[in-house]
Amino acid sequence: MNRPKMGFGDHFRLWVLAFFLVFQSGYGFYLPGSYPHKYVVGDELSVKVNSLTSIDTEMPFSYYSLPFCKPEGGVKDSAENLGELLMGDRIENSPYKFKMYTNESEIFLCRLDSLSGDQFKILKKRIDEMYQVNLILDNLPAIRFTKKEGYFLRWTGYPVGIKIQDVYYLFNHLKFNVLVHKYEETNVARVMGTGDAAEVIPTIGKGASDVPGYMVVGFEVIPCSIMHNADSVKNLKMYNKYPSPIKCDPSTVAMPIKEGQPIVFTYEVTFEESDIKWPSRWDAYLKMEGAKVHWFSILNSLMVITFLAGIVLLIFLRTVRRDLTRYEELDKEAQAQMNEELSGWKLVVGDVFRAPSNASLLCVMVGDGVQILGMAVVTILFAALGFMSPASRGTLITGMLFFYLILGIAAGYVAVRLWRTIGFGDPAGWMSVAWKASCFFPCFAFLILTVLNFLLWSSHSTGAIPFSLFVILILLWFCISVPLTLIGGYFGARAPHLDYPVRTNQIPREIPPQKYPSWLLVLGAGTLPFGTLFIELFFIMSSIWMGRVYYVFGFLFIVLILLVVVCAEVSLVLTYMHLCVEDWKWWWKSFFASGSVAIYIFLYSINYLVFDLKSLSGPVSATLYLGYSLFMVAAIMLATGTVGFLSSFWFVYYLFSSVKFD
């Protein structure tokens, strides 16, 4: 039987359909390669524990640093990626076990015979510092609902205990509610719809087993403080039934902790069938409070900044174009006469491309800025497409690290090519510039991380980077980033340099005295880029320091693009203003005109510490906060400064290429 040949239209439809299938799967599962796990009734479900966390100290601690029950087979670490370790996550197994769709109550877990003095002190300290216990089931964090003034509030995890009238109470009984949804085999045609799609793409057949299964789509926990009879459980083993009924009432507490007394831990679990489907199971975690304010504030900010930037750009282009048009309309004699009576930016023609002071440092900072900016753009783009979901812990940090290492080649190329351009094509010293570009920001980062790590080590926090991970990070830098930066530098040295459109005089021109210090304008210029960022910055800071999930990367990507545009425009305008008052030292000023936004971000960080993180306790926690803020601000300064410098360099090159001087 002869089959009709597929034309271009059929091929195009197939490719479009395949694209939408990939897009749909990425959207539906948040992360390509992440699939639902089918559990048959009676299958064992194991709960894992993550580090204890607190917004009061910002220092995570191991779950088993407190006197909790340990699993029968001993504590075992789960496989963790680089990002999880850097974030301070320590995921371990726990004694909590369920059977799929099997309700159980009054399950005895363990009996702690006597609370020692040290255990009593650390429990009180962790309760005072409002530490939360973080449990995980099937990759879903435990979520807790509380009601306040008629509103339901969502929390991830549950508190270790509570202090009421100088008495400390421990939550020693947990009531779990597991939401499940019937497992459905993936049917591509049903997902895509009927018609041509169903004809072109066959449905996937039934699975190997017809046994009905369930998927975990929700994991809720209710902590209770119960006064157990410690003597009645002396002969019980783990997972035996507690001899008397347990009534879990979260509104009352009954288990005060005292030194030397025994503590009994119990739990219960119920399963509830839910309408929530697998792709929507993370929705409860990704909903952000004040969503309307969030969207409208960002939209308002985007509109205002775009309007301001448009006005600035319009005025700027009209002014420059008028100068160029007037000059080009004159005949040669008039041009010659005009050259003798030059004013403004035309006077600095012989000095505008004079090499700046500390030229190699400028090249290194611009190269590192390109590397950081490229990492930010690619990472946020991948996150916006759903490849770095919160469902896959640590992927965001791991992705940032990976893209940073790979983009070392861009840092080396840009730094060395700029070095050759400043040196009028002389490639001498390119190896030194490339080496400095590979070391400048990483050394600064390692210095800050080492200092902060000593603070975390001294506090026995899981947030401390293990020594082995430090060695791995150094090896990654030395074996991947450094060679790639040197390779990029090699290609930069081989690439043709830019020839300046005008000659540079041997004797530098004297800069006339200015009415206002030029650096004052440079520092003030950072306010406009900060205006594009500060609203989004609040949500990012809340995500990092308040334990909230941040997942509006689409808006963040738009804000990043707008920030780049505004940084470029602000630097252009300031460079033009400096040239108009015969100030030819524009190189560093163009870098810091847009890079000065970092100063305002750091000031905002201090403001956030004082007014939003009022409960942050202790000098160690404040030092950690300021250290990480300084690290973030340095990266932002390099990225935004690079945008401003490169745009100003392009503008100056274009401006003086457009007019011919004798």
Side-chain angles (χ1 to χ4, degrees), residues 130-145:
M130 297 174 64
Y131 268 86
Q132 303 281 317
V133 179
N134 298 295
L135 306 177
I136 301 168
L137 177 66
D138 194 42
N139 204 33
L140 276 181
I143 197 167
R144 177 171 58 97
F145 293 96

Side-chain angles (χ1 to χ4, degrees), residues 406-580:
I406 296 300
L407 287 168
I409 194 166
Y413 180 84
V414 172
V416 170
R417 191 157 186 209
L418 181 61
W419 170 254
R420 285 196 64 205
T421 300
I422 291 175
F424 301 97
D426 185 7
W430 73 266
M431 181 74 79
S432 172
V433 171
W435 173 252
K436 289 175 184 175
S438 67
C439 297
F440 181 74
F441 184 72
C443 288
F444 175 77
F446 275 117
L447 178 65
I448 289 182
L449 287 176
T450 303
V451 172
L452 298 182
N453 228 38
F454 275 116
L455 293 175
L456 291 167
W457 269 333
S458 63
S459 304
H460 306 288
S461 169
T462 59
I465 301 173
F467 180 74
S468 58
L469 183 58
F470 242 112
V471 174
I472 290 171
L473 289 174
I474 292 172
L475 287 175
L476 284 173
W477 165 71
F478 193 74
C479 298
I480 297 177
S481 184
V482 171
L484 285 176
T485 308
L486 293 176
I487 290 170
Y490 172 77
F491 284 115
R494 295 284 299 272
H497 71 283
L498 286 174
D499 288 319
Y500 292 140
V502 292
R503 291 192 302 271
T504 301
N505 297 333
Q506 290 185 349
I507 301 173
R509 179 185 179 85
E510 185 180 353
I511 300 172
Q514 310 296 325
K515 291 182 180 179
Y516 305 103
S518 59
W519 285 102
L520 195 63
L521 284 174
V522 168
L523 293 177
T527 53
L528 193 57
F530 179 71
T532 67
L533 196 63
F534 80 98
I535 294 175
E536 199 67 26
L537 199 61
F538 171 78
F539 290 95
I540 294 171
M541 299 284 271
S542 298
S543 171
I544 296 172
W545 302 109
M546 305 289 280
R548 297 172 185 168
V549 178
Y550 184 89
Y551 202 59
V552 284
F553 290 105
F555 265 94
L556 183 60
F557 187 73
I558 295 172
V559 169
L560 178 64
I561 297 300
L562 192 61
L563 177 68
V564 168
V565 173
V566 173
C567 284
E569 291 174 347
V570 164
S571 187
L572 282 177
V573 173
L574 249 75
T575 300
Y576 181 69
M577 289 172 64
H578 285 129
L579 294 178
C580 283

Side-chain angles (χ1 to χ4, degrees), residues 84-103:
E84 285 178 300
L85 292 170
L86 289 171
M87 290 294 289
D89 287 343
R90 295 295 183 272
I91 300 174
E92 299 161 313
N93 60 335
S94 82
Y96 295 103
K97 290 182 180 179
F98 316 143
K99 290 179 182 177
M100 173 53 79
Y101 225 130
T102 306
N103 295 342

